[in-house]
Amino acid sequence: MTTDSPPDRLAIDPASPHFDQAVLERGIGIRFKGVERTDVEEYSMSEGWVRVALGKKVDRHGRPLTIKLTGAVEAWFLDADKASETSPA
């Protein structure tokens, strides 16, 4: 089942309970504080935060260290953008 709105919370880490492979394959666009971001590891629209990698630093398990940034978060499906671009006029 597909919907036009992305989930409220999503993570790219397979170990996270908020990981959803099908949604990630569909493609998600994130706008944080009015700026499109491509480096988001996890987001929550209702709580208003994103997690981004902290440079190239990793923890002792080899996972990237992240920092939580708070602010307005918008998310959309990227395939919806492609569909509107290729629709006949």
Side-chain angles (χ1 to χ4, degrees), residues 15-50:
S16 171
H18 303 288
F19 175 78
D20 187 345
Q21 183 68 35
V23 171
L24 291 172
E25 286 176 356
R26 188 170 173 191
I28 296 283
I30 302 292
R31 185 173 294 120
F32 178 68
K33 292 185 177 180
V35 178
E36 286 190 36
R37 305 274 313 236
T38 58
D39 60 346
V40 175
E41 300 278 328
E42 184 175 3
Y43 73 86
S44 175
M45 287 190 289
S46 63
E47 296 176 16
W49 56 263
V50 295

Side-chain angles (χ1 to χ4, degrees), residues 2-84:
T2 59
T3 63
D4 289 341
S5 60
D8 177 61
R9 187 168 176 179
L10 185 65
I12 63 170
D13 180 13
S16 171
H18 303 288
F19 175 78
D20 187 345
Q21 183 68 35
V23 171
L24 291 172
E25 286 176 356
R26 188 170 173 191
I28 296 283
I30 302 292
R31 185 173 294 120
F32 178 68
K33 292 185 177 180
V35 178
E36 286 190 36
R37 305 274 313 236
T38 58
D39 60 346
V40 175
E41 300 278 328
E42 184 175 3
Y43 73 86
S44 175
M45 287 190 289
S46 63
E47 296 176 16
W49 56 263
V50 295
R51 269 195 196 281
V52 295
L54 189 59
K56 295 185 179 215
K57 297 181 180 184
V58 294
D59 66 7
R60 63 183 177 173
H61 301 289
R63 295 183 298 244
L65 290 178
T66 60
I67 186 169
K68 184 188 258 187
L69 304 173
T70 58
V73 179
E74 300 173 52
W76 67 92
F77 285 115
L78 294 176
D79 64 353
D81 292 342
K82 291 177 189 172
S84 65

